[in-house]
Amino acid sequence: MIWLYHLSVPLCRQLLVPYLSATVGAVVTALSLNQLAKKLPPLVGKCVPFTAVAAANCINIPLMRQKELKEGILVTDKDGTTFGSSKKVAKRAISMVIFSRIIMAAPAMIIPQVIMNSLEKRSKFIRASPRLQALIQVLSVGLW
């Protein structure tokens, strides 16, 4: 906690508020969807963590980039000539970052679940062995 002493209060707010907001958002999303997923096929329930991560990104990134949203991003040409700042460009850029972060997380968080779902349907041995399930999931995530 000594390192917190050296950080300014605005910097702590700039880091902690987005982090805590994203964490709360992810937990609320996961808990809510887990309740709904009980009535749906197992594969839907296995994709709840991905949805929670996506929700956290949708909360965290805009909060971390508040300054750009309020003040805009400098617009320059390839030679470095500045034309001014644009809030519209900031919104578009932040939206693109959110989208790309969600897409980057998708393969590692969805494909292993699809693989496990199909393996569990085909093999009683895998269904009965949580350790084997964990091993297969870790190995499948490592492939992506």
Side-chain angles (χ1 to χ4, degrees):
M1 290 308 242
I2 295 172
W3 63 273
L4 282 176
Y5 177 75
H6 298 290
L7 293 176
S8 65
V9 173
L11 182 59
C12 282
R13 264 193 215 122
Q14 185 181 1
L15 296 175
L16 291 176
V17 169
Y19 173 77
L20 293 174
S21 300
T23 302
V24 168
V27 169
V28 167
T29 300
L31 293 175
S32 302
L33 290 178
N34 275 335
Q35 292 300 316
L36 292 173
K38 290 178 183 176
K39 302 170 190 167
L40 299 171
L43 183 58
V44 174
K46 290 179 180 182
C47 291
V48 167
F50 171 71
T51 309
V53 167
N57 278 323
C58 291
I59 295 168
N60 186 28
I61 294 168
L63 288 176
M64 289 292 288
R65 297 295 178 186
Q66 285 181 53
K67 183 177 178 186
E68 285 91 345
L69 288 170
K70 290 177 183 174
E71 298 174 10
I73 293 177
L74 287 179
V75 179
T76 61
D77 63 8
K78 63 182 178 182
D79 298 325
T81 307
T82 302
F83 296 109
S85 65
S86 171
K87 292 179 184 179
K88 187 175 181 179
V89 170
K91 288 178 188 175
R92 181 151 189 243
I94 290 169
S95 298
M96 290 170 67
V97 169
I98 292 169
F99 179 74
S100 67
R101 293 257 181 105
I102 292 170
I103 295 301
M104 286 189 308
M109 295 190 80
I110 293 176
I111 293 172
Q113 302 309 328
V114 172
I115 292 169
M116 282 307 300
N117 192 53
S118 69
L119 289 175
E120 287 172 356
K121 285 180 182 178
R122 294 182 183 153
S123 173
K124 291 180 184 177
F125 178 69
I126 291 175
R127 258 181 286 170
S129 177
R131 287 186 179 176
L132 183 57
Q133 290 176 16
L135 177 64
I136 292 170
Q137 285 186 358
V138 168
L139 290 174
S140 63
V141 168
L143 294 174
W144 303 105

